[in-house]
Amino acid sequence: MAANTLLVELGVEELPPSAIDLLSDSLADGIRRGLDESDVTHGAVMAYASPRRLAVQIVELADKQPDREVERRGPALAAAFKEGQPTKAAEGFARSCGVTVDQLIHLETDKGTWLGYREQQRGETTTSLLPAIVDKALTSLPVPKNMRWGSSRVEFSRPVHWLVMLYGHEVVEGESLGLNAGRMTRGHRFHAPEPIELTHADDYLSVLENAWVLADRDKRRERIREQVLAEAEVQDATAVIDEALLVEVSGLVEWPVALTGSFDERFLEVPSECLISSMKANQKYFHLLDADGRLKSLFITIANIDSEDPEQVIQGNQKVIRPRLADAAFFYATDRKRPLADRAPELAGVVFQKQLGSLADKAHRNAEVAAFIAERIGGSAAHARRAAALGKCDLVTEMVLEFPELQGIMGHYYAAQDGEPGQVAQALEEQYLPRFAGDAIPDSDTGKALALADRLDTLTGIFGIGARPSGTKDPFALRRAAIGVLNILVKGELDLDLRELLELAVAQHQTLVDTDKLVDEVLTYMLDRFRAWAHDEGIETEVYLAVRARPVTHPLDFARRLSAVQAFTRRDEAAALAAANKRVSNILAKQANGDVSSIETGLLQEAAEAALYEAVASCRHAVMPLFAEARYHEALDALASLRDPVDAFFDQVMVMADDEAVRCNRLALLASLQALFLEVADIALLQQ
C-alpha cells in the first residue's frame, strides 16, 4: 500500500484562547481514533492551531484499508439440512452471502458444526473513508459554547470560513460544518489576507510561515518566550514568564512580535501584586523585575502584527494600561482609608453557604479551631484568633473585589499597614497555602493553624449538610482541602490527631446532627485521600493499603509508616515476610473464636517453633522502643531478621496439630509474630 501525508484544516474567526489547545488536541484525537477504528495505518499525528485555525497533519497515512478475510456463520448444520436437502434457513443464508448452498463451508466450533461463508473483502480507500471520519471529529469537538451566524443552522464556537482536506496532492472531497473541502487556506489577517493555494499536505507549515502564521503551537510559544527574554535583556531586567499567561497570549496571536512599554513610576507605590494582576488579567502583559527582584515600571506586550511603526503600537498600549493601573492605585488608596478590622461586620452580609451561615460565622468557627491548633504546635493562640477574625476581611475590599486572585495577599498588606503582629499579617496570606499540588505550605505557626482550621471547617460543614463530593463534582474543592490538610500536617511535621481536630471543628457547627458519624465519615474521606498523596510522593498503592489497614489517625505518623514500608519493600526479605504474614492472616482468620492469646514455652515441641519463639521475643524487645518513638524504618529493618526462622517454621512445623493445646500454642506464636508487624502496617496486603 502507498502512503502519503494528510492535512485537515478548519478556518475560523478568532477562537477563545483558553479553548484552542483543547479543541486542537480533540480534533487530532478524533481523526486518529477514526482511522484506527477503520484499520488505516498511519505515522505521527500532529495537532496545530492558531486563533484562526485548527489543523491536523498525519504522515505516512496508508491509501487504503488492508484487505481482509470476512467469515460469516449461518444456521447450525442440523437445522441447515433435512434428509440431505437444504432447508429454507440454509438457502436464505446462502442468498444473503450472494452464493449458492453448495458454495458454503462447514465451520467447526466447540458448540457444534455450522454453515459458514468466507470471502476476501477489499479494503476501502482512505479518501473514501476520510469525509465521514473528519466530519465526526469536527462535529464532536468539546466546544465550550456554540454559536450560529447569519442564516446558517450550523453551530460552532466561532463562525467557520474554510475547510482544507488534502491527501498528498489530492483534495479529499467532503463536507462538514456547511463547508466543502478544498485546498485554499488563509495567511495572517493583515499581512497576507488573500487566499493561498496549498499544493501538497507536506507544505502546510512552511507555506503558512511565509504567510506570517506560525501554526505550530509549541514553536509559537517558544518564539514568544525567546522574544520576551531578549526584550528583558535589552532593558537589563528579568522577565517573569507565567506559563498560563504564555499559553493564553500564544492563543491570541499568529505572528508574535514582542514590544516593551513603560508606565509612570508613581504607580510603583501600589503593591506590585496589584499592578501585576492588572497587567496580566486585563492586558496580557509580561512584567519585568530589577536585579533586586522589584517590579520595574516596564512591561512587554505581544503584538499580532509586525508594524512598520512599532513605537505607535507601544504608545497605544501605554495609553491603555495607564487607566488600568490608575484604577488599581485608586482601589488601594480607597482600601487604606479604613483599617482591615473595620470590615469585619461586613462579613455578616456575605454568605459562605446558606446552611452554614456567613463568612462572619465561618471566621468565628475558625478562631476556636485555629487557637487550639496554635497552642498544640507551640504558637500563639491569641495571634491565631486575631488572624481568624481578620482572615476574610480582605474579601470585601475594593482591590480583591476587582482582582479575586489577590485574596490573602491584600489582607497581608493591609494588616501589616494597620500595625497587626507580623505573624497575624503573614497568616492572612498563608491561610490559602498550599493552593495546588507541589505548592509551599504556610511558614508561620499562625499561618499553619489558620490554614488547617479553615479547611477543617469547610470539610466538616459541607459533609455535615450532605453535600459530599461525588464523581467529578466537587464544587467546594473538598478533595483539594483534604490533601492540603495532609500536606500541612506532614510537611510541617505537626503530630496532631486528625480525629481530635475534626471533633473540635464539628463542635463549632451548632446545627449539625449525628456528629460522631460525621467525624468518622470525614476522617475516612481524608485518610482515603492519602492514596493520592502517596501516589504524588512515589509510594506504591499496596504500601498505602497496608498502612491504611491500621487505625492510624495522625497523618504525620501515617506518612512515616508509608515511608518505612515503602523502603521495606525494597529489601530481599520483604516478599517472603509479606507472604508469610498473608499466610498467618489466613490461618488466624479461621480461628476467630479460638484462644490464641498466650504462649506456653513447655508446649514448644519442634526446634523450629522454639527458634521462632526466641526470635520473636528478641525482636519484640528490640523494636518496641522504636515503635514508641515512631522509628519505623529501623523497626522494620530489625523485623526483617525474622525471615529465616519464619521460613523454617512453615517448612518444618504443622500448625494445625491434632493436640489442641499444641495447636493453640502455635496459633498464639503466629499471632505474636503478626502483632509485631501490625505495629507498623498490615504487610500481608503487600501481596496484592
Side-chain angles (χ1 to χ4, degrees):
M1 288 187 293
N4 219 317
T5 300
L6 170 70
L7 172 67
V8 177
E9 183 195 49
L10 178 68
V12 296
E13 293 189 13
E14 281 74 5
L15 291 163
S18 60
I20 289 177
D21 282 4
L22 174 62
L23 294 176
S24 175
D25 291 338
S26 297
L27 179 59
D29 289 343
I31 296 176
R32 180 197 294 111
R33 188 163 49 250
L35 293 171
D36 292 343
E37 290 171 354
S38 299
D39 201 22
V40 179
T41 60
H42 58 82
V45 179
M46 282 79 72
Y48 301 125
S50 78
R52 298 181 68 211
R53 70 201 72 233
L54 299 172
V56 177
Q57 193 178 54
I58 303 178
V59 300
E60 299 175 8
L61 178 64
D63 64 354
K64 63 186 289 291
Q65 294 173 312
D67 296 340
R68 55 183 177 174
E69 186 177 72
V70 178
E71 181 177 280
R72 296 177 60 185
R73 193 172 76 174
L77 199 61
F81 295 93
K82 283 191 177 181
E83 299 178 357
Q85 297 300 313
T87 63
K88 289 184 177 180
E91 292 173 344
F93 175 65
R95 280 196 303 273
S96 71
C97 296
V99 297
T100 60
V101 173
D102 60 352
Q103 291 176 294
L104 299 174
I105 62 174
H106 290 182
L107 300 176
E108 300 291 341
T109 72
D110 56 356
K111 294 183 178 180
T113 305
W114 308 73
L115 276 187
Y117 180 69
R118 291 195 187 101
E119 65 174 338
Q120 283 294 117
Q121 188 176 82
R122 294 182 61 82
E124 294 187 54
T125 64
T126 299
T127 52
S128 68
L129 296 168
L130 278 170
I133 291 173
V134 172
D135 181 61
K136 181 179 179 181
L138 285 170
T139 55
S140 301
L141 290 178
V143 176
K145 190 175 182 180
N146 272 318
M147 64 179 294
R148 289 204 301 265
W149 52 94
S151 59
S152 170
R153 305 302 297 173
V154 174
E155 293 187 354
F156 197 65
S157 177
R158 293 292 186 271
V160 297
H161 292 298
W162 72 88
L163 177 63
V164 173
M165 277 202 287
L166 284 181
Y167 180 68
H169 291 285
E170 178 186 357
V171 172
V172 179
E173 301 292 341
E175 185 268 339
S176 186
L177 299 176
L179 300 169
N180 291 316
R183 63 171 72 247
M184 305 303 290
T185 185
R186 303 285 195 282
H188 192 280
R189 184 181 289 279
F190 305 112
H191 288 304
E194 298 301 319
I196 301 169
E197 183 174 342
L198 289 167
T199 304
H200 195 282
D202 286 334
D203 301 337
Y204 181 65
L205 291 180
S206 59
V207 167
L208 282 187
E209 188 159 356
N210 288 333
W212 305 78
V213 174
L214 289 177
D216 186 321
R217 295 176 300 175
D218 294 334
K219 185 175 181 179
R220 194 164 67 249
R221 285 170 195 167
E222 289 312 305
R223 176 79 63 86
I224 294 171
R225 190 193 305 275
E226 291 167 3
Q227 291 183 356
V228 169
L229 294 175
E231 286 287 309
E233 187 174 356
V234 171
Q235 301 297 331
D236 193 25
T238 300
V240 179
I241 301 179
D242 180 285
E243 293 300 318
L245 179 61
L246 178 62
V247 170
E248 185 175 11
V249 170
S250 176
L252 291 169
V253 298
E254 292 194 316
W255 190 259
V257 177
L259 300 171
T260 302
S262 63
F263 56 85
D264 293 344
E265 288 196 4
R266 65 183 177 86
F267 289 124
L268 294 178
E269 297 175 5
V270 179
S272 60
E273 291 90 345
C274 306
L275 304 181
I276 293 168
S277 285
S278 182
M279 286 190 284
K280 286 171 60 175
N282 296 319
Q283 302 306 127
K284 317 305 176 189
Y285 293 162
F286 297 93
H287 62 279
L288 301 175
L289 305 178
D290 64 18
D292 295 322
R294 294 189 297 262
L295 182 67
K296 292 178 71 76
S297 57
L298 299 170
F299 63 85
I300 297 176
T301 184
I302 305 299
N304 188 32
I305 188 171
D306 195 356
S307 175
E308 295 179 356
D309 186 4
E311 188 59 36
Q312 186 174 346
V313 178
I314 292 171
Q315 289 179 4
N317 278 274
Q318 291 176 167
K319 184 178 180 180
V320 170
I321 193 60
R322 192 176 300 114
R324 296 288 192 180
L325 299 184
D327 285 345
F330 173 77
F331 296 145
Y332 182 59
T334 301
D335 288 341
R336 291 187 64 188
K337 293 177 180 178
R338 298 170 56 196
L340 189 64
D342 284 3
R343 299 180 183 273
E346 296 175 34
L347 298 179
V350 181
V351 176
F352 165 59
Q353 199 283 334
K354 183 171 63 174
Q355 295 169 261
L356 300 175
S358 65
L359 286 181
D361 297 322
K362 184 172 178 59
H364 178 74
R365 296 192 299 264
N366 285 350
E368 296 302 316
V369 180
F372 175 84
I373 294 172
E375 284 187 336
R376 284 295 183 90
I377 65 177
S380 166
H383 284 168
R385 286 184 182 279
R386 183 61 174 171
L390 299 176
K392 307 303 177 186
C393 289
D394 68 342
L395 298 182
V396 292
T397 62
E398 297 293 331
M399 187 68 79
V400 176
L401 288 172
E402 179 70 17
F403 301 110
E405 67 273 15
L406 294 179
Q407 64 179 3
I409 295 172
M410 297 316 301
H412 187 171
Y413 273 109
Y414 295 147
Q417 290 163 2
D418 293 343
E420 298 287 349
Q423 279 222 359
V424 171
Q426 186 177 343
L428 302 192
E429 181 173 356
E430 291 182 335
Q431 67 179 307
Y432 297 104
L433 299 177
R435 298 181 184 87
F436 49 83
D439 195 15
I441 65 169
D443 183 58
S444 68
D445 290 338
T446 305
K448 291 185 180 79
L450 182 56
L452 288 169
D454 192 44
R455 288 168 171 82
L456 291 169
D457 176 78
T458 299
L459 283 158
T460 54
I462 300 302
F463 266 82
I465 63 172
R468 303 161 185 79
S470 59
T472 58
K473 295 182 179 179
D474 186 13
F476 289 91
L478 299 187
R479 294 185 182 92
R480 188 170 63 203
I483 292 177
V485 170
L486 299 179
N487 271 312
I488 294 169
L489 292 175
V490 174
K491 295 180 179 178
E493 297 190 344
L494 307 179
D495 193 13
L496 298 175
D497 185 351
L498 191 53
R499 176 180 291 280
E500 184 180 26
L501 297 182
L502 289 170
E503 288 173 346
L504 180 61
V506 168
Q508 308 312 309
H509 293 277
Q510 303 299 320
T511 59
L512 300 183
V513 297
D514 205 356
T515 55
D516 289 341
K517 181 180 178 182
L518 175 59
V519 168
D520 289 338
E521 185 180 12
V522 181
L523 178 64
T524 297
Y525 176 81
M526 295 186 72
L527 292 179
D528 285 347
R529 302 283 76 70
F530 249 122
R531 182 193 289 260
W533 186 93
H535 180 269
D536 291 342
E537 297 295 317
I539 294 172
E540 297 166 3
T541 299
E542 291 78 7
V543 173
Y544 160 78
L545 294 173
V547 176
R548 185 70 180 91
R550 305 303 300 141
V552 182
T553 60
H554 288 238
L556 179 59
D557 190 53
F558 198 112
R560 287 170 175 166
R561 292 169 187 251
L562 287 174
S563 175
V565 177
Q566 179 74 9
F568 175 73
T569 61
R570 302 189 188 101
R571 294 187 63 104
D572 294 338
E573 302 90 344
L577 285 170
N581 271 268
K582 181 71 172 177
R583 187 172 178 181
V584 170
S585 180
N586 290 337
I587 292 170
L588 295 178
K590 298 175 182 177
Q591 312 299 319
N593 297 322
D595 180 12
V596 293
S597 59
S598 60
I599 303 172
E600 296 290 340
T601 56
L603 293 174
L604 299 173
Q605 298 178 345
E606 304 288 344
E609 63 181 322
L612 179 58
Y613 171 78
E614 293 295 335
V616 169
S618 175
C619 270
R620 182 183 296 106
H621 178 74
V623 300
M624 293 311 288
L626 299 177
F627 290 144
E629 298 175 10
R631 293 158 61 185
Y632 301 119
H633 282 269
E634 297 169 60
L636 287 175
D637 285 344
L639 291 177
S641 66
L642 292 172
R643 174 185 177 175
D644 289 341
V646 168
D647 287 348
F649 176 87
F650 281 116
D651 286 342
Q652 302 170 28
V653 178
M654 175 66 71
V655 177
M656 305 308 289
D658 293 334
D659 187 313
E660 182 179 1
V662 172
R663 181 172 67 250
C664 289
N665 205 53
R666 289 172 180 172
L667 291 171
L669 177 57
L670 292 181
S672 68
L673 167 69
Q674 182 190 52
L676 282 180
F677 284 95
L678 289 177
E679 289 287 339
V680 183
D682 186 353
I683 71 164
L685 296 177
L686 298 178
Q687 283 287 294
Q688 294 186 5

